Amino acid sequence: FFAQSSFILAYFVQAFAYLCFALFMGTLFKKAGTGIIFFLVYSKIAEPLSGWKLPEAISKYLPFHSISHLIDFPAAKLVGINVSDSPVGIDFIFTLIYSTVFLLATYLLFKKRDN
């Protein structure tokens, strides 16, 4: 039962990082619709395009790439793709760093607008 328990922590960190980015977008744009649109545009268009242009050594450390590769898609094993047996790695560290950066940026935005 506890053999794969590290995936629970990794899933929590992954969900927390997505929510931190969404909180930052919602705070930055003040309107929920605008924040959602920018969230989707960045995650589905802007970062994949920038990752395509950048070298792989740099693009694999972009925020959504690190967050989404924290846990591999489990059905990939069925098609013969190698899937990591442990989610802890460099992506875990970068996900924690990005979560901290998003939360600090949100705090600074709140602090700036409060004055």
Side-chain angles (χ1 to χ4, degrees), residues 33-114:
T34 309
I36 291 170
I37 289 171
F38 191 83
F39 181 91
L40 292 173
V41 166
Y42 179 79
S43 66
K44 301 297 180 193
I45 297 171
E47 187 170 305
L49 283 177
S50 63
W52 181 60
K53 291 285 187 182
L54 293 171
E56 187 179 346
I58 296 172
S59 68
K60 66 181 180 180
Y61 299 117
L62 292 174
F64 272 80
H65 187 272
S66 294
I67 295 169
S68 66
H69 284 85
L70 194 59
I71 298 177
D72 293 326
F73 187 60
K77 286 183 180 179
L78 298 175
V79 239
I81 298 173
N82 285 340
V83 176
S84 173
D85 289 333
S86 174
V88 178
I90 194 73
D91 290 328
F92 188 81
I93 295 168
F94 273 99
T95 301
L96 290 175
I97 291 170
Y98 284 128
S99 298
T100 305
V101 167
F102 295 146
L103 287 176
L104 284 174
T106 303
Y107 172 76
L108 292 175
L109 278 172
F110 274 133
K111 193 171 180 174
K112 179 183 175 189
R113 289 180 183 164
D114 193 32

Side-chain angles (χ1 to χ4, degrees), residues 7-58:
F7 283 96
I8 295 172
L9 175 65
Y11 181 76
F12 171 76
V13 169
Q14 184 178 22
F16 183 72
Y18 282 129
L19 290 173
C20 289
F21 185 73
L23 175 68
F24 174 65
M25 288 295 110
T27 306
L28 183 65
F29 291 110
K30 294 182 184 177
K31 300 273 186 186
T34 309
I36 291 170
I37 289 171
F38 191 83
F39 181 91
L40 292 173
V41 166
Y42 179 79
S43 66
K44 301 297 180 193
I45 297 171
E47 187 170 305
L49 283 177
S50 63
W52 181 60
K53 291 285 187 182
L54 293 171
E56 187 179 346
I58 296 172

